[in-house]
């Protein structure tokens, strides 16, 4: 097994709140500068830029895991990851169809740019991506499982779009194996406030929307190979795998 540095929560130019400077080359350059081995582009409710960032990652010997940030009916953000691109795309198509039919307002929310490897604009997503699915958290979790993915709450220390912020507590079901925390999260303070979070494996990531924030938060994975399956096993500490965040 070996150690990998991972930043699993980064937004591309497709997220309306993402800076237009979050181009494939810029993201890859920043990841290399900060010695990150594994990353994931987790745009809100869409994977339409995955292929481009994946191709750029391969060119630069980085591992790009397929991911997405799901916004559930309760306005909870879950990060979902897939080893099989076919499964991930199938999941994202169903999620897209479950989004409320609201058009994006670029002037208010920002452009949702579908980009190519050489920064060429391939198109614009017109459905508002900062929007909720009609799926509840339970339903979203079940869908991720159905498509052989792995998911956990994105940023449990955040004052909005986290389970605690929306529900006031973390329910027993679904049985998350990990909890995401943001770059600035102070774990001791978090545990003092919510002692039951000590029962979870924490995964820290940057949630970068701007180039300067890439790798501002990351985790170290001790795993066999850089796959979602291995990360999932590391969350449960199987056979010596571990996560430091
Ligand atoms: Zn979020
Ligand atoms: Zn995010």
């Amino acid at each position: 097994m070996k150690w990998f540095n991972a930043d699993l929560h980064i937004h591309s130019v497709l997220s309306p709140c993402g800076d237009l400077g979050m181009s494939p080359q810029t993201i890859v350059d920043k990841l290399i500068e900060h010695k990150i081995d594994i990353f994931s582009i987790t745009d809100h409710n869409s994977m339409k830029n995955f292929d481009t960032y994946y191709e750029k990652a391969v060119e630069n010997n980085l591992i790009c895991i397929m991911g997405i940030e799901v916004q559930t009916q309760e306005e909870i953000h879950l990060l979902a990851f897939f080893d099989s691109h076919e499964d991930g795309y199938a999941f994202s198509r169903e999620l897209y169809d479950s989004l409320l039919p609201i058009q994006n307002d670029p002037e208010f929310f920002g452009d949702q740019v579908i980009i190519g490897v050489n920064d060429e604009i391939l198109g614009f997503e017109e459905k508002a991506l900062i929007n909720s699915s009609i799926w509840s958290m339970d339903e979203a979790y079940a869908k991720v499982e159905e498509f052989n993915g792995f998911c956990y709450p994105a940023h449990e220390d955040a004052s909005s779009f986290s389970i605690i912020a929306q529900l006031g507590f973390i329910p027993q079901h679904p049985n998350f194996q990990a909890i995401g925390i943001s770059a600035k999260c102070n774990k001791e303070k978090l545990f003092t406030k919510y002692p039951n979070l000590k029962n979870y494996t924490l995964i820290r990531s940057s949630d970068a929307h701007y180039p300067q924030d890439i790798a501002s938060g990351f985790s170290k994975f001790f795993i066999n190979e850089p796959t979602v399956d291995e990360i999932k096993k590391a969350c449960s500490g199987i056979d010596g795998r571990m996560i430091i965040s």
Side-chain angles (χ1 to χ4, degrees), residues 9 11 44 69 77 154-155 160-161 207 209:
H9 190 170
H11 290 270
H44 294 287
E69 184 167 24
H77 285 181
H155 29 57
S160 55
F161 301 111
D207 195 6
H209 289 72

Side-chain angles (χ1 to χ4, degrees), residues 65-85:
I65 283 180
M66 185 181 235
I68 191 165
E69 184 167 24
V70 179
Q71 183 169 317
T72 71
Q73 187 192 78
E74 306 92 335
E75 299 197 332
I76 289 165
H77 285 181
L78 301 180
L79 294 176
F81 302 98
F82 301 85
D83 275 326
S84 154
H85 296 177

Side-chain angles (χ1 to χ4, degrees), residues 33-219:
E33 181 189 329
H34 292 285
K35 300 189 165 41
I36 300 292
D37 309 296
I38 307 173
F39 73 104
S40 185
I41 295 297
T42 48
D43 284 312
H44 294 287
N45 298 316
S46 176
M47 289 181 175
K48 286 193 181 161
N49 270 346
F50 172 74
D51 276 349
T52 293
Y53 288 78
Y54 179 79
E55 191 179 330
K56 188 57 85 176
V58 171
E59 270 175 25
N60 289 272
N61 297 313
L62 290 174
I63 308 295
C64 179
I65 283 180
M66 185 181 235
I68 191 165
E69 184 167 24
V70 179
Q71 183 169 317
T72 71
Q73 187 192 78
E74 306 92 335
E75 299 197 332
I76 289 165
H77 285 181
L78 301 180
L79 294 176
F81 302 98
F82 301 85
D83 275 326
S84 154
H85 296 177
E86 197 181 323
D87 281 342
Y89 276 130
F91 171 86
S92 75
R93 281 193 296 273
E94 289 204 20
L95 173 63
Y96 186 83
D97 290 342
S98 80
L99 294 178
L100 299 170
I102 298 170
Q103 294 293 104
N104 185 43
D105 177 354
E107 301 226 332
F108 190 74
F109 290 111
D111 284 315
Q112 301 182 149
V113 182
I114 301 169
I115 198 170
V117 266
N118 298 312
D119 291 356
E120 67 276 27
I121 293 177
L122 303 178
F124 295 92
E125 170 58 53
E126 291 184 357
K127 208 169 181 179
L129 295 176
I130 294 202
N131 191 4
S132 295
S133 163
I134 56 168
W135 297 344
S136 66
M137 177 174 69
D138 277 332
E139 287 168 333
Y141 183 90
K143 274 287 173 199
V144 174
E145 295 258 285
E146 184 187 326
F147 289 101
N148 308 304
F150 171 58
C151 76
Y152 59 86
H155 29 57
E156 225 19 71
D157 54 309
S159 56
S160 55
F161 301 111
S162 66
I163 300 179
I164 294 171
Q166 302 307 110
L167 305 183
F169 67 102
I170 297 188
Q172 298 269 310
H173 299 280
N175 182 24
F176 291 112
Q177 285 150 320
I179 292 283
I181 54 171
S182 58
K184 292 197 176 97
C185 177
N186 179 318
K187 287 195 281 183
E188 298 316 311
K189 281 189 185 161
L190 186 71
F191 291 152
T192 304
K193 210 167 167 191
Y194 307 109
N196 73 327
L197 289 183
K198 282 184 190 165
N199 302 326
Y200 294 91
T201 296
L202 301 183
I203 300 180
R204 189 189 294 272
S205 47
S206 68
D207 195 6
H209 289 72
Y210 297 88
Q212 63 268 31
D213 296 330
I214 293 167
S216 58
F218 66 96
S219 298

